[in-house]
Amino acid sequence: MTSGLAVRGSLWLFLVNVVSKGSQAVVTLVLAALLTSEALGLVALAVALVNIGQVVQSMGVYDVVSRTAGDPRRVAGTLLVLSAGAGLVPALGLVAAAGPVAAALGAPGAAPLVRLAALSLPFSAVAGVQMGLVHRDLDFRRRLLPDAGGAVLGAAVTVGLAVAGAGPYSLVLGLLCAAVAAPLLAVLVGVRVRPGWDAAAAGEALRWIAVVGPGALVAVLLVNVDYLAVARVLGTEAVGVYSLAYRIAWVPYIMVAVVLGGVVLPLCARMLREGRGLSDVVGRFTVAVLALTGGLYAVVALSADRVVVFGARWAGAAVPLVLLCAYGLGISLLHVWYQVLKAAGHARRYLLLETTHLVVLVLGLFVGTRFGLVVVASVHAVTAWVLVPVTWRALARHGLAPPLRSLGRGVVGLVVAVGCAAVVVRSVGGVFGPRGSVAGAVVQGVVLAVVCGLVLVGAHRGLVRGLVRGVRR
């Protein structure tokens, strides 16, 4: 029963992410075509600062709903009061300090964008608590309207305003519309949280925040500190080029790893409450990450030189994109494994790993950013992969690590798939037309996806059969 719920939950969450992140991909294409690299850089900085504010307001409280042994509705009501109230603090702080912060980053033009985007924080706080209840029940169908629907609305607003000439404000206004819509749409599908206060629930949340909250803040810094460093050292135009590469490399992680991680935490928490072991299920999820995200990253990396379809001004994003694909695969593994550690109650270990990652990354960026975007992306990739064996060892100490046999099978399947796809590009790549051809980029992507897919399905037939059985249950 639990296996079937996990599979169906993964598929529903995947559908949600296909729609929502597909909408974001459309936004990226439109903005890359219509905005200058400097304008896209200003938007990226504003969004990065607001992302940090979102984590400050939540500090990991949503995981409490998935893990609690108490009444989840009572806990959610208490978290709503805590999180929505806390959401006002970073929102007001960003509105008040946007000017000095943007100036300190060397991008004073980002200040009005930051102020406008900060208004979304209280709304995203409410939606986060609602989604915590959905995740606890593995009922991801109910995320479709609030999450995907809100994203589509935001994308439509962004594209419409961008075409009308609103410039960088188009994305920020779209972000605000999506944030406001999400909690309202959640109510429409029956995810209602009544504000309340329960001292025991608040105590449980605060104890969790004390450990996981700093880890959540570290996690968001890990994916935003590079923007801040690039802006300060290389300027907003470089941020725009880097942002395009990062946005493209981010898609497989969001579409697959975040989906699987969203299922892993509540699933593992449930299995532990039932007294069941986790090693085998962690092994299956690890193989799924390697096959799915690895296959997608192979397609993206082997097609990176075609980033000029957005315009010749983006040619500098090609090499960073290849390196960020390696980084994306590494953090995809780390993300899923971190959810296992949190579900098993080893939040302090998770915090230590995340903090180590951030310290090493910041040191690397401090030394390397001045040498350009290729070095920045290289620092990201190397740091992530240094943490992969360290994290596996941390899981092994608690009997949670994926079996080495599963891990090896996943790696071998991915290497063969990448090799076959690389042979196709090297042998017949010229057939797909010049690098700036949109049709050529699409055809090449489809062909490489088919090649990788066939190899990976053949390598993991057992995983595919398990997926089919889970859907039928």
Side-chain angles (χ1 to χ4, degrees):
M1 179 65 177
T2 301
S3 174
L5 281 173
V7 171
R8 289 193 298 274
S10 296
L11 293 176
W12 275 108
L13 194 52
F14 177 73
L15 176 60
V16 169
N17 274 18
V18 165
V19 176
S20 60
K21 307 312 173 188
S23 301
Q24 291 181 12
V26 171
V27 167
T28 297
L29 298 179
V30 172
L31 295 183
L34 297 179
L35 300 187
T36 65
S37 55
E38 183 176 5
L40 189 59
L42 292 175
V43 172
L45 280 176
V47 173
L49 291 171
V50 171
N51 285 342
I52 295 172
Q54 285 180 338
V55 174
V56 170
Q57 78 182 4
S58 66
M59 296 295 280
V61 297
Y62 310 141
D63 294 341
V64 178
V65 181
S66 293
R67 296 183 70 256
T68 185
D71 182 352
R73 292 283 174 180
R74 186 181 296 273
V75 171
T78 303
L79 292 177
L80 181 62
V81 174
L82 282 172
S83 189
L88 293 174
V89 176
L92 295 175
L94 283 173
V95 169
V101 170
L105 293 173
L113 302 175
V114 172
R115 292 190 184 98
L116 188 58
L119 300 178
S120 67
L121 291 174
F123 300 98
S124 61
V126 175
V129 176
Q130 292 170 309
M131 294 307 99
L133 281 174
V134 169
H135 279 229
R136 178 184 176 88
D137 298 331
L138 298 175
D139 185 12
F140 297 107
R141 289 176 298 178
R142 291 196 290 172
R143 275 196 66 168
L144 186 60
L145 183 61
D147 202 338
V152 170
L153 174 63
V157 171
T158 297
V159 171
L161 290 174
V163 171
Y169 283 94
S170 57
L171 179 60
V172 176
L173 288 169
L175 174 72
L176 181 58
C177 288
V180 173
L184 299 177
L185 293 174
V187 171
L188 288 180
V189 296
V191 188
R192 298 178 176 86
V193 180
R194 185 184 299 275
W197 187 258
D198 181 275
E204 180 182 5
L206 292 174
R207 287 191 297 273
W208 183 253
I209 290 170
V211 178
V212 174
L217 182 58
V218 169
V220 78
L221 287 174
L222 278 170
V223 298
N224 288 284
V225 70
D226 48 352
Y227 286 108
L228 309 183
V230 171
R232 181 64 181 170
V233 178
L234 302 177
T236 52
E237 186 172 349
V239 175
V241 174
Y242 182 77
S243 172
L244 180 62
Y246 201 101
R247 283 170 175 268
I248 295 171
W250 199 239
V251 172
Y253 169 78
I254 290 292
M255 298 269 296
V256 179
V258 170
V259 169
L260 296 177
V263 176
V264 163
L265 193 149
L267 173 64
C268 289
R270 173 179 290 191
M271 292 177 67
L272 288 170
R273 288 195 298 267
E274 296 171 353
R276 299 162 61 186
L278 299 182
S279 181
D280 287 342
V281 74
V282 175
R284 289 195 292 273
F285 273 96
T286 298
V287 170
V289 168
L290 287 169
L292 297 173
T293 59
L296 290 173
Y297 277 123
V299 174
V300 174
L302 291 169
S303 305
D305 60 340
R306 292 185 175 272
V307 73
V308 293
V309 298
F310 303 121
R313 64 187 180 278
W314 303 110
V319 176
L321 175 55
V322 174
L323 294 165
L324 288 172
C325 286
Y327 156 73
L329 180 58
I331 64 166
S332 294
L333 285 171
L334 293 175
H335 176 73
V336 170
W337 290 352
Y338 287 159
Q339 306 316 304
V340 177
L341 283 171
K342 289 193 291 183
H346 302 298
R348 286 185 174 83
R349 179 71 64 179
Y350 155 72
L351 175 58
L352 177 61
L353 290 165
E354 286 277 67
T355 303
T356 302
H357 192 163
L358 180 61
V359 169
V360 175
L361 177 63
V362 169
L363 290 174
L365 291 174
F366 179 78
V367 173
T369 301
R370 72 192 73 177
F371 299 108
L373 298 181
V374 172
V375 175
V376 170
S378 298
V379 168
H380 251 317
V382 171
T383 305
W385 280 99
V386 165
L387 265 291
V388 167
V390 175
T391 304
W392 183 90
R393 180 59 181 163
L395 288 167
R397 287 177 180 173
H398 299 289
L400 302 170
L404 286 175
R405 183 176 179 181
S406 297
L407 195 57
R409 187 168 61 248
V411 170
V412 170
L414 177 58
V415 169
V416 173
V418 172
C420 292
V423 168
V424 170
V425 172
R426 189 173 183 84
S427 302
V428 298
V431 174
F432 302 123
R435 291 184 301 165
S437 167
V438 175
V442 172
V443 172
Q444 178 174 319
V446 171
V447 170
L448 295 182
V450 170
V451 170
C452 288
L454 290 174
V455 173
L456 291 167
V457 167
H460 304 297
R461 291 187 296 273
L463 188 65
V464 174
R465 286 195 296 268
L467 178 66
V468 173
R469 286 197 300 269
V471 172
R472 289 175 176 174
R473 289 181 181 177

